[in-house]
Amino acid sequence: MINATLQFLLPILCATVSLLYFRRASIGLERHLKKVSYGFLILTVFEILSSSNLFRDNSDIKIFELVAPYGILSISSYIVLFVAIVVLSSWTWYYLLKRLSTQLFMLLMSLVVVLSLIVTGTFVSLLFKSVETESLIKLRSNAEVTTSLLEEKKLRIQSEMKQFSLNSEVIKAVEDGNRQVLSEKIKKQMELTGAGSMVIVDSSGKVIIRGENEEEKGASLSSDKYIEKALGGANPAGYFVTSGTISPVVSLRLATGMTGGAIMTTYILDNVFVDGIKNSTGLAISLYGDKTLAATTEEIGNSNTRLSGIKEMDSEVLSRVWDKGEIYTTASTLGEREYLSAYVPLKDQNNEVMAVLQVAQQEVEAMQAAGQAVQMTFGFIILIMVILAWPLSMISKKLVKEWE
C-alpha cells in the first residue's frame, strides 16, 4: 500500500518541483534554473513510466508483456531517466564551477551515493541469487515428494493387482477359459482403479481377454518385457511411452503373475493426472515422453489450450536428466513464461529413463518477495542520503570558511 501511494506521489512531486524552478527562472530571472526545471519535468515522465510495475500482477498476457521487467515501458523509463540525469548533471557541473562549498558538498554526496549504490547493488544481486537458489532447493524437495507419491501409488496398484490375481473366481475363470466371468471381473476392476488398460494372458503369453477390447483374443504378448518378467515370477513396474496424435502418451505399466498366467495393467498419465498433482502442490506440473511435452497444467496465454508437443531443447537438461538419470534444477522456459524448474527422471522396469516429470514455479512469483525487499532497500538508501545532506552541507561550508 505504501509503495503504491509513493508511486503515485512521486510524479506529482517531480512535476511540482519542475514548475517551481520554472517560475523562479521566469519571474526571478534566474535563467540558469530552466535546465533544472526541464530535468525534473523529464523525471516526471520517468516516474509515470515506472509506475507501470504496479500492473505486473495482471493476468492479461498482453498487459504483462508491456509492463514486464525489461519490457518496452521498463526500457523506455530507463532511457528517460538517463536523459534526465544528463540534463541535471550538465547543470550541476556548471554550478559546481561557480561555488567551492557546493563543489565539496556534491563531492561528499557523490561519494555517499556511489558507496550506497555499490553496497545496494551487491546486496540486490546476492538477494536475487539467494532467492533463486532457495526456490530451486524447495522445488527439488517438492519434486522428490511428488516422486515418492508416485511410488506409493505404484505400490498400492501392485497390491490391488496382487489381490485381484489371487481371487479364486478369477483363477478358476482363467483355468476354464471363461471369458464371460473374466470380462465382468476385469471391467469392475478397471472402474474401481481407473486403469486405462488391463489384459490377462495365459502361461504362454497369449491374450485371454483385454478389458478395453474384449474382441482381442489369442494375440501373443510373450515378447513383452513386463509380461515376460511377470510369467517368471517378478512384479515389474515402470513408465511406458507410446506415440499419440499430437504428443506422446506417458503411462504407468505394471504386471504380476498369477496361477495359469499373468495380468498387465496400464494407467495413462494425462492432463487430469497432472492437474491432480497441481491441486495438491500449487505448482506447475508437466510430463515429457520421448523428450516431448506429453501432459501439462500450463496453458497457452490465457486460453484453455494446453501446451503440448513442445520439444525439450535444453542440452543440460537432456544430458543430466535424460542421459544420466539425475534430478536437475534450473531456470527454464515453457511456452511464453519463465520458470524455475526441477526435472525428475521416470524409469521403466529396466531402470531406463522413459519419461521426465517437471515441477515448476513461475520465476516472477518466486522473485516478488525479493522485489519488494529491493524497493524497501532503495527507500532506506534515499532516506539516509536525505538525512546526511544537511550535515554534509554544514561540513562543506565550514571547510570553505576555514580555508578562506
Side-chain angles (χ1 to χ4, degrees), residues 5 11 25 42 49 56 61 117 120 153-154 168 182 184 186 192 195 207 222 262 293 296 337 350-351 370 394:
T5 305
I42 298 170
L49 292 174
R56 286 178 184 169
I61 188 65
L117 288 176
T120 305
K153 178 182 177 69
K154 189 189 299 183
S168 58
L182 287 176
E184 294 175 359
I186 204 170
L192 287 173
V207 175
S222 58
L293 190 59
T296 182
R337 299 185 179 97
N350 291 324
N351 206 34
M394 293 296 101

Side-chain angles (χ1 to χ4, degrees), residues 32-49:
H32 66 281
L33 294 178
K34 279 189 177 181
K35 189 172 284 188
V36 182
S37 175
Y38 297 149
F40 276 95
L41 182 61
I42 298 170
L43 276 177
T44 303
V45 177
F46 162 73
E47 293 297 345
I48 293 173
L49 292 174

